Amino acid sequence: MPALHDLLSDLFAELRGDDAIMVTRVVYDSRQATPGSLFVALRGTHTDGHCYLADAASRGAVAAVVEEWPSEDVPGLRTIARVSDTRVALAAIAARFYGHPASDLGLIGVTGTDGKTTTTFLIDAILRTAGYRTGLIGTVALRIGDEFVAHDLRQTTPESLDVQALLARMRATGVAWAVVEATSHGLELHRLDHCPFDIAVVTNVTQEHLDFHGTIENYRRAKGRLLEFVRDRPERAYPRGIVLNADDEGARSLARFAGSVPILWYSATGKAVLVAENARMTDKGTSFRLRYGDQVADVHLRLFGLWNVENALAAAGTGILLGIPLDQVVTGLQQLAAVPGRFTPIDCGQPFRVIVDYAHTPKSFERVLPLARSLARGRVIVVFGSAGERDRIKRRLQGAIAARLAEFAVFTSEDPRHEDPDAIIAEIAEGAREAGAQEGQQFVCVEDRALAIREAFRRARPGDIVLLLGKGHEQCILYGDERRPWNEEAEARQALRELGYDCSS
């Protein structure tokens, strides 16, 4: 149980009260406060933790960290510390409270607009094949040694307090390497501060999250922080390096943040030291020849999509930097059977194919839709929306891509949040119109996602492929502050049952 002054060390905090009090728990959600807690007030998009000081105190919090002093005394709070940025403070406090768990783990961070989840799963598979005990923090799952938990936190990179708590659990169970999905939001909002990353991996950097970052340069700058963590890592007994995609201009642009850290470049077009050759789709997945220097190996992924060749190269590069023999790297790549919500087939005996995929960016659309075209004997029908309170520019781009690469589209809701869902759909439709599509002929708008899926299935003919994009593994749809339960795969199966198909197997 640390003293408050130990947690606040070097944070330049102004104090009112006793900084010698002992802290039993650190929280940023007032509802989680218990007797002896320290409450850190964070400012969010729709709420402000400073409004919940009294609630935290009523539940037992004895101290708080704030950015501005409360306008009146808060009964129960014995100490209040003011800092310039509570998110920066929370990261430092969390690391200290849990005893700097990352100091006893190897840390691998994976960032990029697309491919982060699949790449982390592939890296985890390689490490486990090589005999390492692993941890994983990502979009769809958490792993702590042998414990694997699928989740729907809707926050790929958790708050810094949760990151440190998970790393502490990993340390306690003997994890050797932790693999972390590092989002631009997580990096910008200091959720990964005090994590001495040893390896940074960048899949690609294309347009996304400009609603938050403002410009593509700011977006890249946020992702560059991961490379800086590796660059500025203190001396420790773990290999250090950076893995970058030579084929992606955005990934290449981040090399400037690497300093003198070695970079392992990979390429699916033969422009690097680690390359893929003869990539091709098979009826069982994706195959290619991996070449690293004078070492060559054939790889047979169980994942569909040529883009997974790039993800596999990124994961292989990580294994190589860690000194894992190439044959074990290849075995690990081939062990991964699937990633939840990534190009997942739904087969209930219907004469058309149904695929669920998490694709939700223009770049990922340009990858998934051509793959569907290569597999379809008939038309490609796509169902998707676009997230509210996120990059508005991409909505028209998504509509235009659908108009160009699919025969028919159903525009629907994804996560409207506090925006008008019909207004979001209208922006997508406008992009489709600008690309030459006509409503009623090449697309329709159906706000209710369940009805949108049924509309697509109603129109599907034998040999068609229906792509359900944007939700993937997620277990809810966000309307305002409400989390409406949702399971894309289950909803697709139910819709097929209603059409008379047997989904019992």
Side-chain angles (χ1 to χ4, degrees), residues 223-452:
K223 289 190 173 295
R225 288 175 60 86
L226 180 63
L227 281 68
E228 291 177 327
F229 284 144
V230 177
R231 183 194 69 192
D232 300 335
R233 183 203 73 173
E235 192 61 37
R236 49 195 245 132
Y238 294 96
R240 182 170 69 158
I242 292 167
V243 183
L244 291 182
N245 185 354
D247 296 333
D248 182 75
E249 188 274 330
R252 294 196 304 271
S253 75
L254 300 191
R256 68 186 188 273
F257 298 111
S260 60
V261 178
I263 297 176
L264 194 161
W265 294 93
Y266 68 90
S267 169
T269 60
K271 302 174 183 176
V273 66
L274 175 62
V275 300
E277 301 170 344
N278 303 323
R280 62 197 183 280
M281 293 285 296
T282 72
D283 57 353
K284 295 182 179 179
T286 308
S287 294
F288 65 97
R289 175 160 292 179
L290 185 153
R291 186 180 298 276
Y292 175 63
D294 59 358
Q295 300 183 69
V296 179
D298 290 325
V299 180
H300 304 285
L301 297 176
R302 298 158 72 181
L303 308 175
F304 287 92
L306 290 177
W307 63 84
N308 281 314
V309 174
E310 293 185 356
N311 297 331
L313 287 173
T318 304
I320 289 168
L321 287 180
L322 298 186
I324 298 173
L326 194 62
D327 61 336
Q328 291 187 10
V329 168
V330 171
T331 299
L333 293 174
Q334 296 177 157
Q335 287 292 321
L336 183 63
V339 178
R342 271 61 179 175
F343 216 78
T344 303
I346 307 296
D347 186 1
C348 294
Q350 73 277 5
F352 52 89
R353 301 178 72 171
V354 177
I355 303 291
V356 172
D357 193 84
Y358 187 54
H360 60 283
T361 66
K363 180 71 172 180
S364 61
F365 275 30
E366 289 175 340
R367 289 176 164 181
V368 171
L369 286 166
L371 172 59
R373 160 61 45 232
S374 70
L375 298 173
R377 291 184 291 107
R379 302 170 302 161
V380 174
I381 299 174
V382 61
V383 178
F384 70 92
S386 199
E389 300 176 359
R390 297 295 186 267
D391 183 8
R392 290 184 59 182
I393 296 174
K394 76 173 186 179
R395 297 171 187 173
R396 285 180 168 81
L397 295 176
Q398 288 172 302
I401 293 168
R404 177 164 49 89
L405 298 180
E407 277 73 32
F408 197 84
V410 183
F411 303 142
T412 187
S413 280
E414 185 178 303
D415 288 304
R417 295 183 172 86
H418 290 84
E419 283 195 60
D420 178 353
D422 290 314
I424 296 173
I425 294 169
E427 291 187 53
I428 300 171
E430 185 59 31
R433 290 190 190 92
E434 291 170 356
Q438 295 184 26
E439 187 167 3
Q441 295 186 27
Q442 284 85 34
F443 72 90
V444 294
C445 301
V446 181
E447 191 281 321
D448 185 301
R449 194 172 181 100
L451 296 180

Side-chain angles (χ1 to χ4, degrees), residues 11 42-43 67 84-95 157-164 182-195 197 212-213 221-222 225-226 228-229:
L11 289 180
L42 302 181
R43 299 186 191 276
E67 292 179 4
S84 60
D85 189 325
T86 51
R87 289 188 179 276
V88 172
L90 178 63
I93 290 168
T157 306
E159 294 292 350
S160 58
L161 180 67
D162 304 312
V163 169
Q164 295 296 330
T183 63
S184 59
H185 284 74
L187 290 160
E188 184 72 21
L189 296 174
H190 304 283
R191 295 172 186 164
L192 295 172
D193 288 7
H194 301 277
C195 291
F197 283 96
F212 179 76
H213 297 287
R221 181 66 188 85
R225 288 175 60 86
L226 180 63
E228 291 177 327
F229 284 144

Side-chain angles (χ1 to χ4, degrees), residues 51-67:
C51 299
Y52 298 95
L53 294 173
D55 183 62
S58 71
R59 299 172 189 270
V62 294
V65 178
V66 300
E67 292 179 4

